[in-house]
Amino acid sequence: MTDDEERTKRLVAAWRGADRVLSRSLLEPTVGELLATLPGLAEADPDEGADVYGDGVVARLEQRVAELLGMEDAAFFPSGTMAQQVALRCWAGRTGNPVVALHPMSHPELWEGGALSVVSGLRTVHPTREARQPTAREVAELAEPFGTLMLELPLREAGFLLPTWEELVALVEAARERDAVVHFDGARLWESTVQLGRPLPEIAGLADSVYVSFYKSLGGLSGAALAGPAALVGEARVWRHRYGGQIFRQFPQALSALAGLERELPRLPSYVAQARVVAAALREGFAEAGLPWFRVHPEVPHTHQFQVWLPYEADRLTEAGLRQAESTGRVLFRRWSPAGPPAVSLTELELTSPSLSWTPSDIRTAVADFASYL
């Protein structure tokens, strides 16, 4: 076992044994726990026919997503990567332009192995390289034509950042003026309604197509959906089959996604509110602990996820959090990663139901305790 594997094993053991955690980890559940508590399975009708290649409960999920987003149709995909590859490929065929304008920190550019070009034959251009959402002016002034503008809402790698509603409307209008279609990478669109101040159908209605995830915020097992005009979604289903996404049975994923839409979707605004409370308390705690420098980014979270930056090596911070968990039974932070500048590291926090019992005083106390392990 490597040192990293050994640390991961120790981290997961400490997280699982903790009395109190601020944020969840997808690494924690065992197979047995997932099977025992799988959302949706307990309430499922045992006499309902099992799905076959996307009918039954999968079709019900697709209909539900289309209704929630105010779109004509939606198609289930085994992964968001496949859903977006297919969406952007379909739009390129329809517009006749293989160029996709998107942020260089977006998911297809960082986490998909260059699949847009290698698999789909598309090319990308970047309205901006700054760690923020692009502006309408930058889209309008791109030096070459593009067929699709893809916006990641929120932009995770930049700190889960969203534009304002007015900025988003202007971005879409700028793309339309360039005769381009608009696709939203909405993996975390579900929790964006608070910051944007609009319901899901109004947000999704700005775009020509939208991808949403079922596990990132809704707690589903896996899977995604692509929503948009019926004709586009019909074509996407053809490409889904070609990409190997026509799975024989998918009812566990579909049931857990439906359960997430029922249970977690209504709770997301409360998680966003708690994230803002926690972010403020963290800043106060860091200041009281006398840390030489810190950053909570964004200062007021746009969603229920945000970044924390500290001026220490990532291994040192991860070890401090591990020692705190093992000694006190409280998990404040989990893994840390290098943030770019030397000796500066960041971690992401996602505030869901475990965080709701934490008060600002609890956070400040835990920060002081964490600092003592540095």
Side-chain angles (χ1 to χ4, degrees):
M1 183 178 295
T2 66
D3 290 344
D4 187 60
E5 289 172 337
E6 182 63 37
R7 169 175 276 189
T8 297
K9 182 179 178 180
R10 189 176 158 206
L11 282 167
V12 172
W15 298 341
R16 286 174 52 79
D19 300 319
R20 203 172 187 197
V21 300
L22 183 61
S23 62
R24 67 181 184 181
S25 168
L26 297 178
L27 296 177
E28 289 179 43
T30 64
V31 171
E33 288 169 344
L34 287 174
L35 290 174
T37 63
L38 186 60
L41 287 188
E43 296 85 356
D45 179 1
D47 295 323
E48 180 180 7
D51 62 293
V52 177
Y53 292 123
D55 64 1
V57 66
V58 178
R60 280 201 283 120
L61 173 62
E62 292 173 337
Q63 182 180 1
R64 179 65 176 142
V65 170
E67 292 171 351
L68 283 168
L69 298 179
M71 293 292 195
E72 287 184 358
D73 199 1
F76 181 84
F77 279 79
S79 75
T81 296
M82 185 186 293
Q84 296 212 119
Q85 294 291 325
V86 167
L88 296 174
R89 181 172 195 146
C90 288
W91 283 126
R94 287 163 179 261
T95 64
N97 188 327
V99 179
V100 180
L102 77 176
H103 199 287
M105 298 175 78
S106 62
H107 196 278
E109 292 290 70
L110 293 182
W111 303 111
E112 298 180 15
L116 276 183
S117 59
V118 175
V119 178
S120 301
L122 307 181
R123 187 164 59 86
T124 62
V125 294
H126 305 141
T128 181
R129 290 189 173 274
E130 295 186 24
R132 55 166 174 78
Q133 291 284 353
T135 67
R137 181 174 181 176
E138 288 165 340
V139 170
E141 294 180 352
L142 265 172
E144 61 181 303
F146 55 94
T148 305
L149 172 66
M150 194 203 90
L151 297 173
E152 184 176 312
L153 303 175
L155 186 58
R156 175 199 174 172
E157 298 294 333
F160 303 94
L161 300 182
L162 287 164
T164 65
W165 174 252
E166 292 74 19
E167 289 167 342
L168 182 58
V169 170
L171 276 165
V172 171
E173 290 176 348
R176 302 269 192 253
E177 290 173 2
R178 297 290 301 267
D179 296 322
V181 297
V182 177
H183 171 75
F184 286 170
D185 175 341
R188 297 173 174 85
L189 190 72
W190 307 114
E191 60 265 33
S192 299
T193 56
V194 176
Q195 177 76 6
L196 293 174
R198 296 294 192 280
L200 282 169
E202 192 170 352
I203 297 169
L206 290 178
D208 296 283
S209 61
V210 178
Y211 139 67
V212 290
S213 173
F214 295 127
Y215 78 90
K216 286 188 170 67
S217 297
L218 299 179
L221 283 176
S222 61
L226 174 65
L232 176 83
V233 174
E235 182 186 358
R237 288 190 171 100
V238 175
W239 280 105
R240 180 182 63 189
H241 187 98
R242 291 170 176 159
Y243 273 64
Q246 189 76 351
I247 310 299
F248 181 56
R249 294 215 195 281
Q250 300 169 100
F251 70 89
Q253 289 85 352
L255 286 170
S256 67
L258 284 167
L261 291 171
E262 179 70 23
R263 298 172 183 173
E264 287 299 300
L265 185 57
R267 299 173 182 171
L268 290 176
S270 69
Y271 299 162
V272 177
Q274 179 67 353
R276 294 171 178 178
V277 170
V278 170
L282 285 172
R283 291 196 304 273
E284 294 168 0
F286 291 142
E288 292 170 1
L291 294 183
W293 179 85
F294 61 85
R295 185 178 183 188
V296 176
H297 177 67
E299 186 171 299
V300 178
H302 294 182
T303 68
H304 65 299
Q305 304 123 336
F306 59 91
Q307 297 174 341
V308 177
W309 296 46
L310 289 176
Y312 299 92
E313 298 289 348
D315 284 348
R316 183 176 176 182
L317 291 164
T318 300
E319 182 66 23
L322 174 56
R323 292 171 59 199
Q324 180 181 29
E326 291 176 333
S327 300
T328 70
R330 287 182 298 181
V331 178
L332 183 63
F333 302 119
R334 296 177 183 271
R335 282 189 183 271
W336 293 75
S337 304
V344 175
S345 304
L346 71 83
T347 190
E348 294 177 343
L349 285 180
E350 179 178 354
L351 284 305
T352 56
S353 55
S355 74
L356 296 180
S357 66
W358 290 67
T359 67
S361 177
D362 294 334
I363 297 293
R364 292 192 296 269
T365 299
V367 168
D369 183 55
F370 173 77
S372 72
Y373 291 98
L374 291 173

